[in-house]
Amino acid sequence: MNTTQFDKIKNGNGFIAALDQSGGSTPKALADYGVPEDAYSNEDEMFDRVHQMRTRIITSPAFDSEKILGTILFEQTMDREIEGKYTADYLADKDIVPFLKVDKGLAEKENGVQMMKPIHDLDETLRRANERNIFGTKMRSVIHESNQSGIEAVVDQQFEIAKRILDYDLVPIIEPEVNIKSEDKEKSEEILKNEILKHLNNLSKDENVMLKLSIPTKANAFKELIEHPRVVRVVALSGGYSREEANEKLKENEGLIASFSRALIADLNANQSDEEFNNSMKHAVDKIYDASVNKR
């Protein structure tokens, strides 16, 4: 493991950019960016267009290691190049730490939750991640209701796969998202915290993980997780909140930093001039950085 990158993620000031929209969410991400579905005629062209979008974001002067600690990539992005370098190497040269989304999407809802679909090629993906100089991984489940057995199952699955990721000397980001529209979100978060703590307390001293969680309903509800010796960092997803709302909620939580996707790129558009694009990017980066670093 790269100890310089580990120290940056653990102790650096800033946030993590999530640029890992996968096949299912790519058409909407492109449409929001001003590239309608009739602008490409097949999946290959779609992924070419989304790589152009990500390249424009990553090469923007506003996409800067002073404020961005790391970036979560989609698997295709890891395998593609930016300015003649593999994406992770390009990011590392910018002093931004690369992560890889490894899950294959969500299973159907059961017991109030959506587990991850099986990841049949996980070992091969992790081997390739090592080859491509990836630092860590990310995988997402979703909790819709405060169902004890459902939440237990989500956390068990996350940590079971995290152990396999740790075997490849990668740092897993465990992401059991609580749906922000859930009627009993706060109760779900309490159950989730307790289940995560059980697993954290069973990790050995050389097993370190990250957590990516919905911004809690009750401010500082995840303080115990943030301070846990086995947790490198706790980052927050925007989860459908607008950037302004997500930033305001984030400011209430000491030690919690952003890992936003839509809230980061919402104002970007393919038709903007470079100056307009970079200004929009800078505005978003500055606001999210401020919310991650300056707390109430």
Side-chain angles (χ1 to χ4, degrees):
M1 183 186 299
N2 185 315
T3 53
T4 305
Q5 289 182 333
F6 186 92
D7 181 67
K8 183 180 178 80
I9 293 297
K10 185 166 182 63
N11 301 309
N13 282 332
F15 68 94
I16 291 176
L19 301 179
D20 59 332
Q21 299 93 347
S22 57
S25 56
T26 297
K28 184 177 186 314
L30 279 173
D32 291 345
Y33 179 60
V35 179
E37 288 197 42
D38 60 10
Y40 46 88
S41 54
N42 55 45
E43 195 174 72
D44 287 345
E45 287 182 14
M46 177 184 79
F47 283 121
D48 286 344
R49 295 302 293 262
V50 84
H51 189 65
Q52 289 167 14
M53 176 183 83
R54 289 174 179 146
T55 297
R56 197 178 188 194
I57 291 166
I58 289 170
T59 56
S60 169
F63 202 84
D64 176 270
S65 65
E66 291 297 309
K67 294 181 176 173
I68 297 171
L69 302 175
T71 301
I72 305 169
L73 305 173
F74 177 51
E75 191 174 345
Q76 280 221 15
T77 314
M78 174 183 78
D79 290 328
R80 289 178 181 243
E81 294 184 355
I82 294 177
E83 295 182 358
K85 299 173 186 171
Y86 281 114
T87 305
D89 294 329
Y90 184 89
L91 286 165
D93 287 348
K94 283 187 85 158
D95 196 26
I96 295 172
V97 180
F99 292 83
L100 175 69
K101 168 188 159 75
V102 294
D103 69 78
K104 301 295 184 186
L106 300 168
E108 292 298 313
K109 184 175 168 182
E110 191 176 342
N111 290 333
V113 302
Q114 286 180 277
M115 307 268 285
M116 289 181 281
K117 288 179 180 174
I119 312 173
H120 297 300
D121 60 349
L122 181 63
D123 289 293
E124 171 64 14
T125 301
L126 298 176
R127 185 191 63 74
R128 287 175 49 246
N130 282 148
E131 283 180 1
R132 292 278 179 265
N133 300 320
I134 296 290
F135 172 81
T137 64
K138 190 210 83 160
M139 49 190 174
R140 172 177 173 258
S141 323
V142 178
I143 296 163
H144 299 283
E145 299 163 22
S146 60
N147 181 307
Q148 178 76 40
S149 62
I151 294 173
E152 274 182 34
V154 158
V155 179
D156 287 349
Q157 183 191 39
Q158 283 275 354
F159 274 88
E160 180 190 333
I161 297 172
K163 290 263 194 176
R164 292 172 62 189
I165 291 163
L166 286 163
D167 287 342
Y168 281 82
D169 205 28
L170 295 160
V171 175
I173 300 177
I174 290 165
E175 183 184 14
E177 172 183 345
V178 177
N179 185 336
I180 63 167
K181 296 186 173 76
S182 169
E183 290 177 11
D184 48 7
K185 179 171 175 282
E186 188 173 347
K187 190 179 177 191
S188 293
E189 286 162 352
E190 184 64 26
I191 297 169
L192 176 63
K193 181 183 79 171
N194 292 331
E195 290 304 315
I196 290 173
L197 280 169
K198 286 180 196 173
H199 284 272
L200 291 175
N201 292 336
N202 286 326
L203 294 178
S204 65
K205 286 189 177 173
D206 60 349
E207 293 178 320
N208 297 294
V209 302
M210 294 174 63
L211 302 170
K212 181 167 178 173
L213 306 172
S214 305
I215 305 170
T217 300
K218 183 182 172 188
N220 294 313
F222 297 141
K223 190 170 188 285
E224 211 175 340
L225 300 177
I226 290 167
E227 294 174 349
H228 197 283
R230 298 281 64 79
V231 175
V232 183
R233 205 76 187 249
V234 181
V235 304
L237 54 106
S238 49
Y241 291 127
S242 68
R243 183 190 308 137
E244 291 72 20
E245 199 173 0
N247 284 341
E248 285 306 307
K249 290 177 182 296
L250 190 63
K251 286 177 185 177
E252 296 171 356
N253 289 272
E254 196 64 41
L256 188 64
I257 66 169
S259 176
F260 294 170
S261 174
R262 275 169 296 181
L264 172 64
I265 65 173
D267 296 339
L268 304 179
N269 192 284
N271 302 310
Q272 289 170 323
S273 68
D274 285 347
E275 184 180 6
E276 289 168 335
F277 183 93
N278 292 331
N279 285 341
S280 292
M281 191 83 224
K282 183 177 187 308
H283 177 77
V285 167
D286 287 351
K287 292 290 186 185
I288 296 169
Y289 173 85
D290 182 60
S292 295
V293 173
N294 298 313
K295 303 298 184 179
R296 291 205 178 95

Short mmCIF file of all heavy atoms in Angstrom, two decimals, residues 26 30 40-52 76 80:
data_model
loop_
_atom_site.label_atom_id
_atom_site.label_comp_id
_atom_site.label_asym_id
_atom_site.label_seq_id
_atom_site.Cartn_x
_atom_site.Cartn_y
_atom_site.Cartn_z
N THR A 26 -25.47 5.85 -16.40
CA THR A 26 -24.71 6.69 -17.34
C THR A 26 -25.60 7.54 -18.26
O THR A 26 -25.34 8.73 -18.43
CB THR A 26 -23.73 5.83 -18.17
OG1 THR A 26 -22.78 5.24 -17.27
CG2 THR A 26 -22.99 6.66 -19.19
N LEU A 30 -25.22 11.55 -18.47
CA LEU A 30 -24.89 12.25 -19.72
C LEU A 30 -25.97 13.26 -20.08
O LEU A 30 -25.67 14.38 -20.51
CB LEU A 30 -24.70 11.24 -20.85
CG LEU A 30 -23.34 10.54 -20.92
CD1 LEU A 30 -23.36 9.45 -21.98
CD2 LEU A 30 -22.21 11.53 -21.20
N TYR A 40 -25.54 9.43 -29.18
CA TYR A 40 -24.69 8.24 -29.36
C TYR A 40 -25.61 7.08 -29.77
O TYR A 40 -26.78 7.06 -29.44
CB TYR A 40 -23.92 7.91 -28.07
CG TYR A 40 -24.74 7.94 -26.80
CD1 TYR A 40 -25.44 6.82 -26.36
CD2 TYR A 40 -24.84 9.11 -26.04
CE1 TYR A 40 -26.20 6.86 -25.20
CE2 TYR A 40 -25.61 9.16 -24.89
CZ TYR A 40 -26.28 8.03 -24.46
OH TYR A 40 -27.04 8.07 -23.32
N SER A 41 -25.04 6.13 -30.52
CA SER A 41 -25.90 5.10 -31.11
C SER A 41 -25.72 3.72 -30.51
O SER A 41 -26.47 2.80 -30.82
CB SER A 41 -25.66 5.03 -32.63
OG SER A 41 -24.30 4.86 -32.90
N ASN A 42 -24.73 3.54 -29.63
CA ASN A 42 -24.56 2.24 -28.97
C ASN A 42 -23.81 2.44 -27.65
O ASN A 42 -23.39 3.56 -27.32
CB ASN A 42 -23.82 1.25 -29.89
CG ASN A 42 -22.48 1.81 -30.37
OD1 ASN A 42 -21.71 2.36 -29.59
ND2 ASN A 42 -22.21 1.66 -31.66
N GLU A 43 -23.63 1.35 -26.92
CA GLU A 43 -23.01 1.43 -25.60
C GLU A 43 -21.57 1.91 -25.66
O GLU A 43 -21.11 2.68 -24.81
CB GLU A 43 -23.09 0.06 -24.90
CG GLU A 43 -22.82 0.14 -23.41
CD GLU A 43 -23.05 -1.18 -22.69
OE1 GLU A 43 -22.22 -2.10 -22.89
OE2 GLU A 43 -24.04 -1.29 -21.95
N ASP A 44 -20.81 1.45 -26.69
CA ASP A 44 -19.42 1.88 -26.81
C ASP A 44 -19.33 3.39 -26.96
O ASP A 44 -18.48 4.04 -26.32
CB ASP A 44 -18.75 1.20 -28.02
CG ASP A 44 -18.48 -0.28 -27.77
OD1 ASP A 44 -18.54 -0.69 -26.58
OD2 ASP A 44 -18.22 -1.01 -28.74
N GLU A 45 -20.19 3.95 -27.82
CA GLU A 45 -20.18 5.41 -28.02
C GLU A 45 -20.62 6.12 -26.74
O GLU A 45 -20.09 7.20 -26.41
CB GLU A 45 -21.11 5.79 -29.18
CG GLU A 45 -20.54 5.43 -30.54
CD GLU A 45 -21.45 5.87 -31.68
OE1 GLU A 45 -22.37 6.69 -31.44
OE2 GLU A 45 -21.24 5.39 -32.81
N MET A 46 -21.56 5.53 -26.00
CA MET A 46 -22.00 6.12 -24.73
C MET A 46 -20.83 6.21 -23.77
O MET A 46 -20.60 7.26 -23.13
CB MET A 46 -23.13 5.28 -24.13
CG MET A 46 -23.60 5.78 -22.77
SD MET A 46 -24.85 4.69 -22.02
CE MET A 46 -23.80 3.37 -21.38
N PHE A 47 -20.06 5.12 -23.66
CA PHE A 47 -18.93 5.13 -22.73
C PHE A 47 -17.81 6.05 -23.21
O PHE A 47 -17.09 6.64 -22.40
CB PHE A 47 -18.42 3.70 -22.48
CG PHE A 47 -19.31 2.92 -21.54
CD1 PHE A 47 -19.89 1.73 -21.94
CD2 PHE A 47 -19.58 3.39 -20.26
CE1 PHE A 47 -20.72 1.01 -21.08
CE2 PHE A 47 -20.40 2.68 -19.39
CZ PHE A 47 -20.97 1.49 -19.79
N ASP A 48 -17.68 6.20 -24.53
CA ASP A 48 -16.72 7.20 -25.05
C ASP A 48 -17.13 8.60 -24.59
O ASP A 48 -16.28 9.40 -24.16
CB ASP A 48 -16.69 7.16 -26.58
CG ASP A 48 -15.97 5.94 -27.13
OD1 ASP A 48 -15.23 5.28 -26.36
OD2 ASP A 48 -16.15 5.62 -28.32
N ARG A 49 -18.42 8.90 -24.68
CA ARG A 49 -18.90 10.24 -24.31
C ARG A 49 -18.72 10.49 -22.80
O ARG A 49 -18.35 11.59 -22.38
CB ARG A 49 -20.37 10.42 -24.71
CG ARG A 49 -20.63 10.40 -26.21
CD ARG A 49 -19.86 11.46 -26.99
NE ARG A 49 -20.28 12.80 -26.70
CZ ARG A 49 -21.12 13.52 -27.44
NH1 ARG A 49 -21.66 12.99 -28.53
NH2 ARG A 49 -21.43 14.75 -27.12
N VAL A 50 -18.99 9.46 -22.01
CA VAL A 50 -18.86 9.66 -20.56
C VAL A 50 -17.38 9.78 -20.17
O VAL A 50 -17.03 10.52 -19.25
CB VAL A 50 -19.59 8.56 -19.76
CG1 VAL A 50 -18.77 7.29 -19.58
CG2 VAL A 50 -20.01 9.10 -18.38
N HIS A 51 -16.50 9.10 -20.92
CA HIS A 51 -15.07 9.27 -20.63
C HIS A 51 -14.60 10.67 -21.01
O HIS A 51 -13.76 11.25 -20.32
CB HIS A 51 -14.23 8.21 -21.35
CG HIS A 51 -12.80 8.22 -20.90
ND1 HIS A 51 -12.41 7.90 -19.62
CD2 HIS A 51 -11.65 8.56 -21.56
CE1 HIS A 51 -11.10 8.02 -19.50
NE2 HIS A 51 -10.62 8.43 -20.67
N GLN A 52 -15.17 11.21 -22.10
CA GLN A 52 -14.85 12.61 -22.46
C GLN A 52 -15.28 13.56 -21.33
O GLN A 52 -14.56 14.50 -20.99
CB GLN A 52 -15.56 12.99 -23.76
CG GLN A 52 -14.99 12.33 -25.00
CD GLN A 52 -15.91 12.49 -26.22
OE1 GLN A 52 -16.85 13.30 -26.21
NE2 GLN A 52 -15.66 11.71 -27.26
N GLN A 76 -14.47 1.01 -16.29
CA GLN A 76 -14.04 1.41 -17.65
C GLN A 76 -13.09 2.60 -17.61
O GLN A 76 -12.20 2.71 -18.45
CB GLN A 76 -15.26 1.75 -18.50
CG GLN A 76 -15.96 0.54 -19.05
CD GLN A 76 -16.40 0.78 -20.50
OE1 GLN A 76 -15.94 1.72 -21.15
NE2 GLN A 76 -17.25 -0.08 -21.00
N ARG A 80 -9.11 3.17 -19.13
CA ARG A 80 -8.89 4.15 -20.20
C ARG A 80 -7.79 5.14 -19.81
O ARG A 80 -7.35 5.17 -18.66
CB ARG A 80 -10.19 4.91 -20.50
CG ARG A 80 -11.23 4.03 -21.20
CD ARG A 80 -12.50 4.81 -21.43
NE ARG A 80 -13.53 4.01 -22.08
CZ ARG A 80 -14.04 4.26 -23.27
NH1 ARG A 80 -13.63 5.29 -23.98
NH2 ARG A 80 -15.00 3.50 -23.77
#
